[in-house]
Amino acid sequence: AQSVTQPDIHITVSEGASLELRCNYSYGATPYLFWYVQSPGQGLQLLLKYFSGDTLVQGIKGFEAEFKRSQSSFNLRKPSVHWSDAAEYFCAVAFLPYTGGFKTIFGAGTRLFVKA
Amino acid sequence: NAGVTQTPKFRVLKTGQSMTLLCAQDMNHEYMYWYRQDPGMGLRLIHYSVGEGTTAKGEVPDGYNVSRLKKQNFLLGLESAAPSQTSVYFCAGGRRGTDTQYFGPGTRLTVL
């Protein structure tokens, strides 16, 4: 069955430090891959997505993610974290099941805390 | 453009009461979705729609009904609310051919 795993429930980093959030998926082919961010009390906002091509994807707010087929991973990175990055981050995969139409599965989320 | 909006933002119900959540979008999305978000479980799809007049079940459809009479609106109904339906509900829209989704701000529902 298809699944998305975010191994870290929460992560704390110092402001200015680098960040990597992990995401692993289980699917027979290459899915469509997404990272969303959710600030407190808000809906989800798309950070970046990967469909095909260059496996290093640039997103908004200085984030990037790298697709590694051999590891079934799509980890999110940022070289220098800002206090405003404190939020919850969701990895998601979308694919076309036999019934047609996309199906999206979300990971459980990783909450990022930023300390001064 | 307002994007994706949800009404109401907060609601408290008693067990057995009914209510309808409204999602409206002005982005001309063909696809619309209703999710619930619970701590530690990410988002789970309740129902979705691929076009006006069509709906389909998602991962956790029991206890909910939906309707999409107009392209821009997607309604989520609870006929007899239960405490297990206490959650934050998100609506999202998306365009045909891609599964990038645009989310509303959410509705926090508490069932006592």
Side-chain angles (χ1 to χ4, degrees), chain A residues 15-39:
Chain A
E15 191 170 16
S18 63
L19 170 71
E20 182 170 30
L21 302 182
R22 295 182 291 165
C23 174
N24 293 94
Y25 68 89
S26 173
Y27 181 56
T30 300
Y32 297 72
L33 297 159
F34 305 81
W35 274 100
Y36 289 87
V37 60
Q38 183 182 30
S39 298

Side-chain angles (χ1 to χ4, degrees), chain B residues 66-80:
Chain B
V66 289
S67 65
R68 186 130 180 242
L69 300 180
K70 295 182 180 180
K71 183 177 184 178
Q72 61 269 35
N73 295 337
F74 194 31
L75 305 179
L76 177 71
L78 287 72
E79 291 185 350
S80 179

Side-chain angles (χ1 to χ4, degrees), chain B residues 42-68:
Chain B
L43 277 76
R44 292 181 293 168
L45 183 64
I46 304 171
H47 286 280
Y48 65 100
S49 167
V50 298
E52 181 179 325
T54 71
T55 63
K57 294 180 179 179
E59 181 185 358
V60 287
D62 294 342
Y64 305 94
N65 57 76
V66 289
S67 65
R68 186 130 180 242

Side-chain angles (χ1 to χ4, degrees), chain B:
Chain B
N1 290 348
V4 180
T5 59
Q6 293 182 231
T7 309
K9 288 184 169 55
F10 304 94
R11 186 70 186 270
V12 178
L13 291 178
K14 294 181 180 178
T15 297
Q17 286 185 317
S18 63
M19 77 162 295
T20 301
L21 306 184
L22 170 63
C23 176
Q25 55 96 1
D26 60 3
M27 304 173 75
N28 203 32
H29 289 156
E30 291 86 7
Y31 295 171
M32 295 187 75
Y33 310 83
W34 275 108
Y35 292 92
R36 59 179 289 172
Q37 183 181 34
D38 302 291
M41 302 188 74
L43 277 76
R44 292 181 293 168
L45 183 64
I46 304 171
H47 286 280
Y48 65 100
S49 167
V50 298
E52 181 179 325
T54 71
T55 63
K57 294 180 179 179
E59 181 185 358
V60 287
D62 294 342
Y64 305 94
N65 57 76
V66 289
S67 65
R68 186 130 180 242
L69 300 180
K70 295 182 180 180
K71 183 177 184 178
Q72 61 269 35
N73 295 337
F74 194 31
L75 305 179
L76 177 71
L78 287 72
E79 291 185 350
S80 179
S84 62
Q85 294 177 304
T86 294
S87 187
V88 181
Y89 292 85
F90 287 99
C91 175
R95 294 187 176 86
R96 192 190 317 275
T98 173
D99 204 39
T100 300
Q101 296 182 24
Y102 300 86
F103 285 81
T107 295
R108 183 174 293 277
L109 174 66
T110 300
V111 183
L112 302 176

Side-chain angles (χ1 to χ4, degrees), chain A residues 7-9 24 35 40 44 52 57 61 68 72 76-77 86 88 91 95-96 102 109 116:
Chain A
D8 305 303
I9 297 173
N24 293 94
W35 274 100
L44 279 69
S52 64
V57 181
K61 304 184 180 184
K68 292 185 177 180
S72 296
L76 182 71
R77 300 195 294 251
E88 190 152 21
C91 180
F95 54 93
L96 283 167
F102 281 98

Side-chain angles (χ1 to χ4, degrees), chain A residues 39-104:
Chain A
S39 298
Q42 303 294 316
L44 279 69
Q45 180 186 18
L46 181 68
L47 279 177
L48 49 79
K49 59 186 178 183
Y50 171 79
F51 288 162
S52 64
D54 192 344
T55 56
L56 185 61
V57 181
Q58 302 298 320
I60 62 172
K61 304 184 180 184
F63 285 91
E64 65 178 26
E66 185 173 12
F67 168 59
K68 292 185 177 180
R69 185 190 307 273
S70 62
Q71 299 176 17
S72 296
S73 67
F74 189 57
N75 293 349
L76 182 71
R77 300 195 294 251
K78 186 170 185 178
S80 178
V81 169
H82 187 263
W83 65 267
S84 60
D85 293 325
E88 190 152 21
Y89 292 79
F90 292 92
C91 180
V93 300
F95 54 93
L96 283 167
Y98 70 95
T99 52
F102 281 98
K103 180 177 180 180
T104 302

